[in-house]
Amino acid sequence: MVKDETYYFHQTPPDLCKELIKLVPLEPADIVLEPFKGEGAFYNNFPEFVKPKWCEIEDGKDYKDFTEYVDWVITNCPFRLENQITKKRENTFFKLLKYYTDRAGKGVAFLANDRCFGTLTPKRLKELNSEGWYIHNIVVSSIKKWRGRYFFIIFKKEPSDFYKHVEGNF
């Protein structure tokens, strides 16, 4: 874990990435983007039959500058980024999920902590569903060097009743 004055960079354990990638229904020649590559734990473990792409701000390739088509996005995205207006750090999980569901053709798979998972409110899930995106799998893991449980959430642009939500506040 590298720290500067503003951010902690959490590197996902490569052995965990190997296991999680096996759960994503990748097909030969799929274009797969790792937009927050870090040290490459996901990227370096993509199967040989896909066409891998990456971004990493620390290496001069900002995810916002990537404009190519992709089939899949697989990443441990930053959980918090600085808001350009307020200059405060905020949970960006859902914003990044929306950003990539607008760009991926087949699916998005994000590793998330409990706070990120909690941003998937019934209203937001309904919004994703109305755009054709559905949760197809959730895999729970423990990462000793980090706090708590982590959830690998696989969204596909294909209807599924795997995960349901109830609207309203009770």
Side-chain angles (χ1 to χ4, degrees):
M1 186 168 15
V2 177
K3 180 186 177 196
D4 68 13
E5 295 175 8
T6 310
Y7 301 103
Y8 283 95
F9 297 98
H10 296 275
Q11 301 303 320
T12 313
D15 288 340
L16 174 61
C17 292
K18 288 177 190 175
E19 295 303 313
L20 296 176
I21 290 168
K22 292 176 189 175
L23 302 170
V24 180
L26 298 172
E27 297 176 346
D30 274 352
I31 301 168
V32 182
L33 174 65
E34 190 352 340
F36 305 99
K37 186 179 83 141
E39 294 175 359
F42 275 111
Y43 180 83
N44 295 338
N45 289 296
F46 287 159
E48 290 184 14
F49 61 82
V50 302
K51 296 177 181 176
K53 304 283 185 175
W54 64 273
C55 299
E56 176 51 54
I57 191 94
E58 294 295 304
D59 294 330
K61 291 177 77 172
D62 191 325
Y63 76 95
K64 293 177 273 184
D65 297 330
F66 186 90
T67 58
E68 298 172 41
Y69 170 85
V70 298
D71 295 299
W72 281 91
V73 175
I74 302 174
T75 193
N76 176 6
C77 64
F79 297 160
R80 296 188 308 159
L81 291 172
E82 184 177 281
N83 180 305
Q84 296 301 310
I85 297 169
T86 66
K87 301 299 182 195
K88 294 183 180 181
R89 293 182 71 207
E90 63 184 20
N91 187 317
T92 55
F93 181 82
F94 188 73
K95 287 181 182 180
L96 289 171
L97 179 60
K98 285 287 295 164
Y99 183 83
Y100 283 111
T101 55
D102 287 344
R103 288 160 176 77
K106 293 182 179 180
V108 174
F110 277 7
L111 187 63
N113 67 10
D114 56 341
R115 289 184 182 194
C116 294
F117 189 81
T119 67
L120 297 175
T121 62
K123 180 180 178 181
R124 288 176 168 174
L125 288 169
K126 181 180 180 183
E127 178 183 343
L128 287 169
N129 293 167
S130 73
E131 296 167 358
W133 289 95
Y134 295 82
I135 294 175
H136 278 253
N137 202 353
I138 300 174
V139 181
V140 183
S141 61
S142 295
I143 302 174
K144 287 184 181 182
K145 65 182 179 177
W146 301 346
R147 181 189 70 79
R149 303 308 141 242
Y150 288 79
F151 307 90
F152 189 62
I153 308 168
I154 301 172
F155 294 84
K156 287 178 64 179
K157 194 161 192 165
E158 168 182 307
S160 172
D161 63 357
F162 167 78
Y163 194 82
K164 298 174 180 57
H165 58 276
V166 176
E167 291 185 65
N169 290 310
F170 304 95

